[in-house]
């Protein structure tokens, strides 16, 4: 899929049509594959997210999902959410005059190389220490799904547990358990359809 086919809903204000088209045209010259994820243009290599582009109120940007590994010789990358964002870095532009295709391609090609080398920041695991709720334990036992549940990665197990625990009322918890039991049986993670 080429950039023009990937609808960019991250450009919420329609201020940056020409500018985003310029960035997308540059990205089309690489091996990256244009996709739409989370309502915007994301570029992947081997199915892994490498770059996203979008327009915002005061700037348009290209961001690198693992930008923390880029050498950044021009010192253009920023961490948009310091202290929260570990690996994503943005390169913000205010006009097409700031976009130097040769420099952008150098950054993009380095990001592709980093992805191909497998460089990534390990996700912080919220899933290491969690307790399976009694209601879920009982349901898994009654439906002979304990082994199926244990075949999920700890993170996917945690997603199920968090989904149950987030419900305030017991009837909602039970309803959610009924919803996820067929998923567990068929080895479908709670959020697999979004991945």
């Amino acid at each position: 899929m080429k950039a023009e086919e990937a609808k960019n809903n991250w450009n919420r204000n329609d201020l940056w049509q020409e500018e985003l088209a310029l960035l997308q045209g540059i990205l089309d010259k690489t091996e990256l594959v244009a996709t739409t994820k989370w309502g915007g243009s994301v570029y992947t290599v081997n199915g892994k997210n490498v770059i996203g582009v979008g327009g915002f109120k005061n700037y348009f940007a290209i961001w690198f999902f693992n930008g923390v590994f880029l050498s950044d010789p021009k010192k253009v990358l920023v961490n948009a959410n310091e202290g929260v964002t570990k690996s994503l870095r943005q390169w913000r532009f205010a006009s097409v005059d700031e976009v130097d295709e040769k420099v952008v391609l150098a950054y993009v090609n380095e990001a592709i190389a980093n992805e191909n080398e497998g460089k990534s920041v390990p996700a912080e695991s919220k899933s290491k220490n969690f307790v399976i709720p009694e209601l879920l334990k009982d349901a898994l036992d009654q439906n002979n799904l304990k082994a199926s549940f244990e075949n999920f990665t700890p993170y996917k197990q945690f997603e199920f547990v968090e989904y149950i625990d987030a419900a305030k009322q017991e009837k909602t918890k039970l309803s959610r358990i009924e919803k996820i039991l067929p998923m567990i049986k068929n080895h479908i993670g709670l959020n697999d359809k979004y991945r």
Side-chain angles (χ1 to χ4, degrees):
M1 178 191 314
K2 289 295 181 193
E4 63 270 10
E5 297 167 9
K7 185 178 180 201
N8 191 340
N9 290 330
W10 287 328
N11 185 23
R12 303 253 185 247
N13 51 29
D14 294 326
L15 295 174
W16 308 106
Q17 297 300 323
E18 177 187 345
E19 292 84 352
L20 291 174
L22 174 64
L23 284 180
Q24 292 168 333
I26 293 169
L27 295 174
D28 283 344
K29 295 177 182 179
T30 69
E31 67 184 87
L32 293 170
V33 176
T35 63
T36 300
K37 293 186 179 185
W38 310 287
S41 297
V42 173
Y43 292 79
T44 65
V45 66
N46 301 321
K48 300 286 187 175
N49 300 335
V50 179
I51 289 170
V53 294
F56 301 90
K57 184 176 179 182
N58 298 314
Y59 60 89
F60 62 103
I62 182 171
W63 56 91
F64 301 87
F65 285 91
N66 280 307
V68 69
F69 296 109
L70 294 173
S71 58
D72 194 15
K74 300 289 185 183
K75 304 295 180 220
V76 294
L77 300 179
V78 297
N79 184 335
N81 204 353
E82 198 68 49
V84 176
T85 303
K86 304 284 186 240
S87 61
L88 190 133
R89 296 294 182 268
Q90 283 186 348
W91 185 353
R92 297 174 178 176
F93 305 92
S95 74
V96 292
D97 298 333
E98 296 178 10
V99 179
D100 180 332
E101 180 174 329
K102 186 177 177 182
V103 176
V104 170
L105 280 172
Y107 275 72
V108 170
N109 287 326
E110 183 182 356
I112 292 168
N114 287 342
E115 184 58 50
N116 287 332
E117 291 174 21
K119 291 182 179 178
S120 67
V121 174
E124 287 184 14
S125 180
K126 298 182 266 184
S127 62
K128 290 195 179 193
N129 298 311
F130 64 90
V131 177
I132 299 173
E134 287 301 318
L135 288 173
L136 180 56
K137 274 186 195 174
D138 292 344
L140 293 172
D141 288 341
Q142 291 169 9
N143 292 280
N144 296 318
L145 293 174
K146 184 177 180 190
S148 295
F149 183 78
E150 290 172 350
N151 282 333
F152 284 101
T153 63
Y155 186 77
K156 288 188 178 187
Q157 290 176 18
F158 174 76
E159 288 179 326
F160 284 121
V161 168
E162 185 178 48
Y163 178 64
I164 303 304
D165 282 344
K168 303 289 185 234
Q169 298 180 8
E170 185 172 320
K171 69 179 184 178
T172 306
K173 291 179 190 253
L174 291 170
S175 170
R176 289 182 178 189
I177 288 170
E178 287 302 312
K179 177 184 173 185
I180 66 171
L181 287 177
M183 297 173 79
I184 294 169
K185 181 179 181 180
N186 294 308
H187 203 69
I188 300 169
L190 183 66
N191 296 309
D192 283 0
K193 67 181 178 182
Y194 303 112
R195 291 188 171 98

